[in-house]
Amino acid sequence: MELTTLWFILIAFLFLGYFVLEGFDFGVGMLMPFLGRKSRMNADKRRRATLNTIGPVWDGNEVWLITAGGALFAAFPDWYATLFSGFYIPLLLILLALIFRAVAIEFRGKIDDDQWRARCDAGIIIGSWLPAILWGMVFAAVVSGTPIDENKQITNMWEAFLSPYAILGGITTTMLFLLHGAVFVALKTGGEVRADAIKAAGLLAPATLLVAGGFAVWTQLAYGSTLTWVFTWVAAIGLIVTVVMTARQREGWTFVATFITVAAATALLFGSLFPDVMPSSLNPEWSLTVAEAASSPYTLRVLTWAAAFLAPVVMIYQGWTYWVFRKRITTEQIPPSIGLKMRR
């Protein structure tokens, strides 16, 4: 296999890992106001229990995005430049949302004040919804083709970004992450929070099957290849298993099914791109291909050796983190707030 093809697969794998792991993070953040309602006295404990499900792992999950961005820059500098300059506004919004979300998660417990916590919750919720929607729109827009001219410049990003296909892509990733997050909360909590998460997953699963199924079929028929039929079928089976297992309240198997669905959907998008990385909607000859966008063979060889030694270490460390924090969380285990009093 050529190194350019290998690195295209590795970039796809890094984004796959990011969406699979950070996807349920986003889902948990989006579901916080729904899983943390009830009485005012109990609402904060429910929200803290919900947030604690991702507390030890959310920042580790974001490492996949940083690694994917760095690898994209090093292995495919022209792809990186065209993508980030063309989709500058939505990618900047994603970056700002991730920063606000990270600050809100870290600072929420520092001050014991309802107004402070409400503002942090707003940061977490908005910082989860925006990336969930925008990532789907950006990737769908790239797959469908953007108006790239002969100089490899995107002339009008909005034409592809606001197309019906891209909007459906945004709705699809949002629904998938919501379902993935609801199942993760059900898997990681007990008591009333688990019961509400199972109920939410039961409501989301059929709707996600319809929306994501429609997007997958559209992607396959319009942009797919013979190979991507495999990913389409895997995603479809994963969604069907999700609906069945949700109805049976088997959250362990449901999480495996949503995990596989998100992974297959990401593979479908990247598989539909290859051998292009940025297809042109103006002229197929102006599309940016894997070979054209790649760094020199020497750079790719150095990157391959670095990835071969470092990637297993990171993956083992992250797997160990999930194993250590594998126990369920209930509202009864949430201690009183130890935050500082707000100065007024």
Side-chain angles (χ1 to χ4, degrees), residues 160-200:
F161 185 69
L162 296 178
S163 68
Y165 176 74
I167 292 171
L168 182 60
I171 297 171
T172 298
T173 50
T174 305
M175 296 290 293
L176 279 174
F177 294 161
L178 273 169
L179 177 60
H180 202 29
V183 175
F184 184 74
V185 173
L187 185 66
K188 288 287 295 175
T189 57
E192 56 187 5
V193 177
R194 174 178 175 267
D196 281 0
I198 290 174
K199 195 182 297 180

Side-chain angles (χ1 to χ4, degrees), residues 247-268:
R248 295 184 179 182
Q249 299 191 8
R250 300 287 298 273
E251 57 262 37
W253 285 110
T254 312
F255 185 73
V256 172
T258 55
F259 189 102
I260 291 172
T261 302
V262 176
T266 309
L268 171 62

